[in-house]
Amino acid sequence: DIRFDINLSLLIQVQLTMQLTGSIILALFSTSLAYAQSFNHQDTLSGSITPQRAWWDLTYYDLAIDVDISTKSIKGTNSIYFNVIIPQEVMQIDLQEPLRITHIDYKGQSLTYTREGSVYWVRFPYPLVSGDREKISIQYEGVPVEAVRPPWDGGFTWSKDKNGNPFVATSCQGLGASVWWPCKDHMYDEPDSMLISITVPAPLADVSNGRLRHIDSLSDGRKTYQWFVSNPINNYGVNVNIGKYAHWADTLHGEKGILDLNFYVLQDNYEKAREHFQDAYRTIRAFEYWFGPYPFYEDGYKLVEVPYLGMEHQSSVTYGNKYRMGYLGRDLSSTGWGLKWDYIIIHESAHEWWANNVTYTDIADMWIHEAFASYAEGLFVDYYYGKQAASEYVIGTRSDIGNAKPIIGKYNVNKEGSPDMYSKGANMLHSLRTWLDDDVRWRETLRGLQRDFYHQTVNTAQIETYIAQATGLDLKAFFNQYLRDTRIPVLEYNIKGKTFSVRYTNIVEGFNMPVYITSDNGQKIRITPTGNWQKLKQPAPIKTISVDQNFYIGKNMVDKLN
């Protein structure tokens, strides 16, 4: 994550100058690569740290929006506070069509700007001074993109509850927050805090991120709900939720003290929600055990009903699973364990740790969010139902894996990897836990990731290096196999009397994950296969072997060695 103090040292300035130079080279290289992969110039502008992004460090947003439900339009202002890293006079601001910027103010004067698709090039009257703290205010308006299939294909969702009241919400992961407000729409840089003010018609209410500071009643009967986020927040984590809500508050005694809980549901759902949302309490207790303290005690935890399935908006987790256990009433593992809890509450709340606390720098590394959040489902099962139940659940999700393309996506073009990042990513982590065979150390590794990357954006290399160092394992080939390759390792074996031979096929260079096997005479041993045949002697003849299913690999018996 690129966050800098206002008082920059000369050393940091030199480092940043080098970084900016490198980003220019990277941008040029990624542009040519992007076109080769059928991406366009807009993809590169969206997905890369362009020179017009790299020279300034975002510190604070003051976002105010007036929502006109009758016309499905919005009008607002975003004041952007930032520190100047390197003197520059052209800034990249992102806002997607059909929304448009109408005015930009800087110290009482209007700034000029030009538009290139979803990017505005904002020009200052002179190069800004390194180390200065600056501010611009952007006015904008229009009819934002309407969500087609939220949250996967997002934007604004304009809906109604069963009583005909407006029910409105935003969701924008991948598509980008600039689909509904102007911002620095790249994940590498987050504001340190944020103010969100949303004006809606009465008797509706808005629920957004952070804590509700106050509600202003306007002369025309509308109300402005002002929410303050005191922690760093990623752009797609910011949300607007408008409806005729019922609300209750509670507290939970957690690792860092008293955690405030707030729940917002449609009024007709109040009674069943009071019972059903007990899963939120269970979730926080389980994940504080595995991952450490909830990352946003200062802002509290909210669970908010919305007209789509749900999303991991920071301190404002959205919920639309219709008060059913599982995922829309079904168990993704087909084991029964997935019907003992509400998937959306558990999975989206897990993202408070894996997405909102530890955040990917580039969406190509989206697996950092989804693999860990999907794996967290199994850890929830582990906490309440035991390790064997957790194993059954995670293994059961393998039927959803396609292995059509790698988990890691294309860098610098805003492109995520395969949907296998969910179930395959979870099974990769489950295999790693089994390989380590030390649950105390594994739990400390997970908690250490949360502690040492607290409120930061990270990339895959950082996560790989940290886990390898924390576990003491050589994991280069392991991560290459499961993150960058589509093949699943196959353990081939041949049996002749007291001797059996084993090797891996379908592997990347150097893959040698140990596995446990059990022979038909009941002997369990740990072996470390490679791409070459190994012969192993047994005290008595054997006919078959079984492989510990906790390792995500295939098995194949062959008649002869080759």
Side-chain angles (χ1 to χ4, degrees), residues 247-255 257-265 270-290 292-294 297 301-303 317 319 325 340-342 344-350 352-353 379-380 383-385:
H247 164 247
W248 77 93
D250 203 349
T251 58
L252 181 147
H253 291 259
E255 284 198 16
I258 303 298
L259 174 62
D260 291 325
L261 309 177
N262 284 275
F263 304 93
Y264 293 84
V265 300
Y270 180 81
E271 293 300 330
K272 63 182 174 183
R274 291 292 302 244
E275 179 179 354
H276 192 84
F277 280 8
Q278 289 299 310
D279 265 358
Y281 299 76
R282 297 209 299 158
T283 299
I284 293 168
R285 291 190 183 98
F287 291 163
E288 284 208 330
Y289 171 82
W290 284 109
Y294 176 74
Y297 268 74
Y301 171 91
K302 289 193 295 298
L303 192 59
V317 176
Y319 174 84
M325 293 300 189
K340 295 183 179 295
W341 38 276
D342 188 311
I344 292 299
I345 295 176
I346 277 68
H347 181 88
E348 304 305 340
S349 297
E352 291 284 63
W353 285 263
L379 293 181
F380 176 90
Y383 187 83
Y384 288 104
Y385 306 105

Side-chain angles (χ1 to χ4, degrees), residues 37-50:
Q37 297 289 337
S38 299
F39 296 105
N40 59 38
H41 184 54
Q42 282 291 316
D43 295 324
T44 301
L45 291 179
S46 173
S48 61
I49 305 174
T50 64

Side-chain angles (χ1 to χ4, degrees), residues 111-150:
L111 294 183
T112 61
Y113 51 85
T114 58
R115 182 166 204 166
E116 185 179 0
S118 296
V119 169
Y120 281 82
W121 303 112
V122 181
R123 183 171 293 277
F124 291 87
Y126 44 78
L128 302 187
V129 178
S130 177
D132 280 0
R133 177 174 170 83
E134 300 283 7
K135 167 195 169 185
I136 62 171
S137 293
I138 301 173
Q139 296 177 21
Y140 77 108
E141 61 184 26
V143 177
V145 169
E146 189 165 349
V148 177
R149 185 172 171 259

Side-chain angles (χ1 to χ4, degrees), residues 533-553:
W533 285 108
Q534 300 176 32
K535 290 186 177 182
L536 302 170
K537 297 284 188 179
Q538 294 295 294
I542 60 174
K543 294 181 179 179
T544 62
I545 61 171
S546 61
V547 179
D548 188 339
Q549 288 189 321
N550 290 296
F551 295 97
Y552 181 40
I553 61 173

Side-chain angles (χ1 to χ4, degrees), residues 240-532:
V240 168
N241 307 293
I242 301 169
K244 200 167 183 181
Y245 283 117
H247 164 247
W248 77 93
D250 203 349
T251 58
L252 181 147
H253 291 259
E255 284 198 16
K256 285 180 66 174
I258 303 298
L259 174 62
D260 291 325
L261 309 177
N262 284 275
F263 304 93
Y264 293 84
V265 300
L266 294 178
Q267 292 180 350
D268 288 350
N269 296 331
Y270 180 81
E271 293 300 330
K272 63 182 174 183
R274 291 292 302 244
E275 179 179 354
H276 192 84
F277 280 8
Q278 289 299 310
D279 265 358
Y281 299 76
R282 297 209 299 158
T283 299
I284 293 168
R285 291 190 183 98
F287 291 163
E288 284 208 330
Y289 171 82
W290 284 109
F291 307 137
Y294 176 74
F296 308 107
Y297 268 74
E298 300 83 358
D299 294 323
Y301 171 91
K302 289 193 295 298
L303 192 59
V304 187
E305 188 170 5
V306 292
Y308 62 89
L309 186 57
M311 193 69 193
E312 67 259 26
H313 302 107
Q314 183 173 311
S315 69
S316 181
V317 176
T318 51
Y319 174 84
N321 202 32
K322 307 298 183 184
Y323 303 95
R324 291 177 285 191
M325 293 300 189
Y327 179 89
L328 294 174
R330 63 189 181 93
D331 178 5
L332 295 181
S333 74
S334 300
T335 64
W337 296 114
L339 291 177
K340 295 183 179 295
W341 38 276
D342 188 311
Y343 174 93
I344 292 299
I345 295 176
I346 277 68
H347 181 88
E348 304 305 340
S349 297
H351 279 308
E352 291 284 63
W353 285 263
W354 306 103
N356 299 334
N357 185 39
V358 179
T359 308
Y360 58 67
T361 297
D362 189 304
I363 198 173
D365 289 331
M366 187 174 168
W367 77 271
I368 297 171
H369 295 193
E370 300 302 349
F372 280 97
S374 298
Y375 178 60
E377 299 161 21
L379 293 181
F380 176 90
V381 174
D382 190 316
Y383 187 83
Y384 288 104
Y385 306 105
K387 189 173 181 179
Q388 179 58 36
S391 295
E392 293 172 7
Y393 176 81
V394 177
I395 293 168
T397 65
R398 291 177 187 171
S399 61
D400 191 42
I401 301 173
N403 290 315
K405 61 180 182 177
I407 286 177
I408 293 180
K410 304 295 183 183
Y411 290 99
N412 303 308
V413 289
N414 197 41
K415 180 63 175 177
E416 72 272 14
S418 164
D420 284 347
M421 68 179 81
Y422 293 82
S423 296
K424 184 177 179 180
N427 275 277
M428 174 188 73
L429 294 171
H430 184 68
S431 298
L432 182 51
R433 176 189 183 180
T434 308
W435 175 359
L436 180 63
D437 197 21
D438 184 340
D439 284 350
V440 173
R441 195 169 187 178
W442 180 238
R443 177 172 170 247
E444 177 51 37
T445 299
L446 297 174
R447 291 172 65 94
L449 284 163
Q450 289 291 314
R451 178 187 64 243
D452 294 350
F453 293 121
Y454 182 72
H455 289 177
Q456 295 181 40
T457 65
V458 299
N459 57 40
T460 291
Q462 290 173 282
I463 298 298
E464 288 180 334
T465 299
Y466 188 95
I467 295 176
Q469 291 176 347
T471 60
L473 302 175
D474 182 356
L475 298 174
K476 181 179 179 180
F478 174 85
F479 284 122
N480 283 340
Q481 184 76 53
Y482 290 106
L483 294 178
R484 300 176 178 89
D485 202 280
T486 59
R487 297 170 296 169
I488 296 305
V490 174
L491 182 69
E492 288 193 336
Y493 66 99
N494 171 269
I495 299 174
K496 289 185 177 180
K498 296 181 180 180
T499 301
F500 71 92
S501 301
V502 294
R503 73 169 182 181
Y504 276 131
T505 59
N506 283 0
I507 58 172
V508 300
E509 182 178 357
F511 185 83
N512 63 346
M513 179 177 68
V515 294
Y516 293 104
I517 64 171
T518 303
S519 63
D520 56 348
N521 60 20
Q523 184 176 7
K524 180 179 179 179
I525 62 172
R526 179 181 170 110
I527 62 174
T528 305
T530 67
N532 299 316

